[in-house]
Amino acid sequence: MGKGSNVQKATAARERNQKKMGKSDEERRAASAKATLDANAFICKICRQTFMVNAKDTLLYLHVTARHDDKKDTPTECFDSLVGFDPSDPEGTKAAAAKKAAIKPKKAKKDDGNLLDLLDVGLTKGKGKKKK
């Protein structure tokens, strides 16, 4: 039994040492690759300026108007993500209101005249049988 416990101790010690050492080379490469992809998520097609992945359409449109004033009518020439972007409604509130208006109203409830007839007869509308 002495041999088994030493193997377990050695394995546990090896795991502790690996945690202390930090990331391996593969993990470092993967993390740096992800960071570069995130940093270069949006690239202006004209001037090749990069924007982070969390840049909003308003910031991208601001870049178009500030740097490429002649392209402000067609911002998709700089960024593909600006398709359908409305500069007069940067937050998209008008589009959301239009979608709400397009939703059909709910159907009216059915006539409850038949329910009253059933109640008069003695039948009840409810959950069913009562537990005793």
Side-chain angles (χ1 to χ4, degrees), residues 9-27:
K9 288 178 184 178
T11 305
R14 194 175 305 118
E15 288 177 6
R16 278 195 308 269
N17 289 336
Q18 284 178 348
K19 287 180 184 176
K20 288 180 184 176
M21 291 177 67
K23 295 181 180 179
S24 67
D25 289 339
E26 293 175 5
E27 291 173 331

Side-chain angles (χ1 to χ4, degrees), residues 26-111:
E26 293 175 5
E27 291 173 331
R28 282 191 195 102
R29 275 188 245 127
S32 67
K34 183 184 180 302
T36 55
L37 284 176
D38 287 348
N40 299 330
F42 297 107
I43 300 175
C44 178
K45 294 178 186 176
I46 296 170
C47 66
R48 308 297 292 168
Q49 183 175 351
T50 59
F51 293 88
M52 301 249 336
V53 71
N54 61 349
K56 294 186 179 179
D57 289 342
T58 53
L59 178 71
L60 301 177
Y61 185 75
L62 182 67
H63 168 79
V64 172
T65 57
R67 295 282 175 106
H68 315 291
D69 196 32
D70 56 329
K71 306 286 185 191
K72 70 179 179 182
D73 295 332
T74 56
T76 54
E77 290 184 25
C78 288
F79 301 102
D80 291 332
S81 64
L82 290 179
V83 174
F85 178 74
D86 185 12
S88 63
D89 182 28
E91 299 300 321
T93 53
K94 290 180 185 175
K99 283 183 183 178
K100 268 191 173 180
I103 295 174
K104 295 179 182 177
K106 293 181 179 180
K107 294 181 180 178
K109 286 188 174 183
K110 294 181 180 178
D111 186 25

Side-chain angles (χ1 to χ4, degrees), residues 1-14:
M1 248 202 190
K3 187 174 186 181
S5 64
N6 285 338
V7 171
Q8 290 174 347
K9 288 178 184 178
T11 305
R14 194 175 305 118

Side-chain angles (χ1 to χ4, degrees), residues 108-124:
K109 286 188 174 183
K110 294 181 180 178
D111 186 25
D112 288 339
N114 293 337
L115 285 176
L116 292 176
D117 294 339
L118 288 174
L119 290 173
D120 289 340
V121 174
L123 299 174
T124 59

